[in-house]
């Protein structure tokens, strides 16, 4: 009965993924290469590329989201990289509305905790959704939650995910 409910959930959302490349991977190097390619194009003034939305299964406990942002910031010093969770949400009071309404965003990489990943509706701001689900092997959410995180950006060109172990695939309705 539980699997039937999940299958109905995915059938409801199939239209969100229609025409979008979707790749699950367990290879961190491949994942980083894809993110790097989008950020490189995003910062190229001759290209019209949306940014990267990176939902995660972690909050900034122990500085985890900040560390991810800093790692990418070192490689892309000109990029506007933001991480957000309950710890710093007050600093971005208008962000939810901006991501829903405005035509463009100046955010090149947006890294979010589960609460923010599930609580926003992003319209046409990021070309790549890069789900980063390899940080905390004890805190992997169920398949419906992961799917919800990945579909907050309603119109990406591509969705990729990085998982920490192959067993995570059991959460998904193939």
């Amino acid at each position: 009965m539980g699997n039937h409910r999940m299958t109905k959930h995915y059938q409801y959302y199939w239209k969100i993924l229609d025409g979008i490349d979707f790749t699950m991977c367990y290879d961190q190097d491949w994942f980083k290469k894809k993110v790097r390619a989008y950020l490189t194009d995003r910062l190229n003034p001759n290209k019209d590329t949306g940014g990267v939305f990176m939902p995660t299964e972690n909050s900034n406990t122990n500085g985890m989201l900040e560390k991810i942002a800093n790692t990418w910031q070192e490689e892309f010093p000109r990029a506007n990289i933001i991480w957000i969770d309950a710890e710093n949400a007050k600093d971005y009071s208008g962000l939810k509305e901006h991501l829903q309404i405005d035509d463009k965003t100046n955010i090149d990489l947006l890294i979010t905790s589960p609460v923010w990943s599930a609580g926003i509706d992003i319209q046409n701001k990021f070309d790549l959704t890069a789900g980063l689900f390899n940080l905390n092997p004890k805190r992997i959410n169920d398949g419906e939650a992961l799917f919800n995180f990945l579909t907050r950006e309603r119109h990406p060109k591509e969705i990729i995910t990085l998982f920490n172990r192959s067993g995570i695939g059991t959460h998904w309705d193939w």
Side-chain angles (χ1 to χ4, degrees):
M1 184 128 189
N3 286 340
H4 178 69
R5 186 176 62 81
M6 283 183 61
T7 300
K8 284 190 176 239
H9 174 80
Y10 295 125
Q11 287 174 346
Y12 172 76
Y13 278 111
W14 75 269
K15 290 182 181 181
I16 292 172
L17 297 177
D18 191 29
I20 299 171
D21 290 334
F22 188 103
T23 306
M24 294 190 321
C25 79
Y26 311 101
D27 181 347
Q28 189 170 23
D29 291 336
W30 180 87
F31 180 86
K32 287 180 177 180
K33 184 178 178 182
K34 289 292 277 190
V35 172
R36 190 173 289 117
Y38 273 86
L39 287 174
T40 299
D41 283 353
R42 168 77 174 174
L43 296 173
N44 182 339
N46 297 319
K47 297 202 176 201
D48 185 22
T49 303
V52 176
F53 171 58
M54 188 176 288
T56 73
E57 86 277 26
N58 279 300
S59 65
N60 197 47
T61 304
N62 301 322
M64 206 169 278
L65 297 182
E66 189 173 9
K67 181 180 176 185
I68 297 165
N70 289 341
T71 299
W72 286 107
Q73 195 73 69
E74 287 175 21
E75 187 170 346
F76 294 93
R78 294 184 312 126
N80 182 13
I81 299 174
I82 294 173
W83 63 269
I84 190 165
D85 77 347
E87 180 180 317
N88 67 347
K90 65 185 176 306
D91 298 334
Y92 299 100
S93 60
L95 184 61
K96 288 169 93 173
E97 293 78 17
H98 165 66
L99 293 173
Q100 293 170 359
I101 299 168
D102 297 338
D103 290 335
K104 297 273 185 183
T105 184
N106 66 349
I107 301 170
D108 300 311
L109 172 59
L110 176 61
I111 305 162
T112 59
S113 68
V115 170
W116 272 83
S117 297
I120 56 178
D121 180 24
I122 305 170
Q123 297 290 332
N124 297 312
K125 305 295 186 294
F126 301 98
D127 283 354
L128 177 66
T129 295
L132 183 57
F133 306 117
N134 75 330
L135 304 173
N136 187 345
K138 296 178 182 169
R139 194 173 177 205
I140 295 294
N141 295 277
D142 64 43
E144 290 183 32
L146 294 175
F147 191 83
N148 187 28
F149 296 172
L150 293 169
T151 56
R152 299 296 54 192
E153 163 57 83
R154 299 298 188 194
H155 306 283
K157 292 180 180 172
E158 186 172 5
I159 297 174
I160 63 173
T161 61
L162 176 63
F163 291 119
N164 61 348
R165 61 188 192 276
S166 59
I168 294 306
T170 62
H171 286 306
W172 296 87
D173 175 9
W174 291 95

